[in-house]
Amino acid sequence: MAQKILNGLHISGTVQLDFMPDHESEGIITLGRYDSNTSRYHNIKSYVSSTEASNYLKFSLHAGTENAIVDVLTLSGNKNATFAGDIAMVQTSGNNTLTIDSSGGGNPVIYYKDTSRTWGQFLSNGDMYFKDETSQINSLILDGGTGNATFAGVINLSSNKSVAWPGGS
């Protein structure tokens, strides 16, 4: 089968790009277009230094307005990843989804939805609530300050597994 080569740059193998002007400087690769006096583009920014935590690779996307971008993802040399918006992880088959939502401006909410429509919310003080999405009744509250758990409704425990407690049986 013949290989189709698209217009533009075609490279096979490894490519080394040296696009930072000097030591401890940011290099930027811009991907986009310029038409009718308007620039629309994305950037990949790279900063390399001798300090692990200060190294980063940053992805910035066109913000919908001419000549404007917004930082979306930053990968740091200390293995941290920073997302500048909501994170949605959606399973493509079945009825289960997991979503982390911080769009309300408050503390992030972590939703886990399945056929029973249950969700949990993490609060800044370490508390965690599990609620039924329809009734908004707390079925389980885990208090991060006291370590107490509060249950509402019936508690059914069933398991055929044995549990080994730390420090004894």
Side-chain angles (χ1 to χ4, degrees):
M1 177 189 310
Q3 181 181 8
K4 181 179 180 179
I5 298 178
L6 303 174
N7 291 335
L9 181 64
H10 176 80
I11 300 171
S12 293
T14 302
V15 176
Q16 181 175 332
L17 300 173
D18 183 4
F19 57 92
M20 285 165 252
D22 43 34
H23 180 64
E24 295 186 344
S25 63
E26 183 179 67
I28 301 173
I29 297 174
T30 299
L31 308 167
R33 70 175 204 271
Y34 178 80
D35 54 63
S36 301
N37 298 323
T38 302
S39 295
R40 290 182 172 82
Y41 56 91
H42 307 300
N43 281 343
I44 301 172
K45 302 174 186 176
S46 177
Y47 184 87
V48 180
S49 75
S50 55
T51 307
E52 179 182 86
S54 65
N55 292 312
Y56 61 81
L57 188 60
K58 187 178 293 187
F59 296 86
S60 305
L61 301 179
H62 175 59
T65 305
E66 65 180 85
N67 302 316
I69 58 172
V70 61
D71 294 338
V72 175
L73 170 64
T74 303
L75 304 174
S76 298
N78 59 3
K79 301 178 186 171
N80 289 338
T82 304
F83 298 89
D86 293 338
I87 303 167
M89 296 169 280
V90 179
Q91 182 177 340
T92 56
S93 62
N95 295 321
N96 301 324
T97 61
L98 178 66
T99 304
I100 302 172
D101 181 7
S102 60
S103 61
N107 296 309
V109 178
I110 299 177
Y111 298 96
Y112 175 76
K113 295 183 181 185
D114 61 14
T115 53
S116 66
R117 298 176 10 204
T118 304
W119 63 277
Q121 178 179 5
F122 291 88
L123 301 176
S124 62
N125 62 357
D127 294 350
M128 183 173 167
Y129 293 81
F130 290 93
K131 298 180 181 184
D132 176 84
E133 183 179 43
T134 305
S135 65
Q136 296 293 304
I137 296 172
N138 292 329
S139 57
L140 170 62
I141 301 171
L142 303 175
D143 188 323
T146 65
N148 293 332
T150 305
F151 299 90
V154 178
I155 301 169
N156 293 315
L157 300 174
S158 63
S159 175
N160 60 359
K161 308 275 186 203
S162 60
V163 176
W165 295 100
S169 55

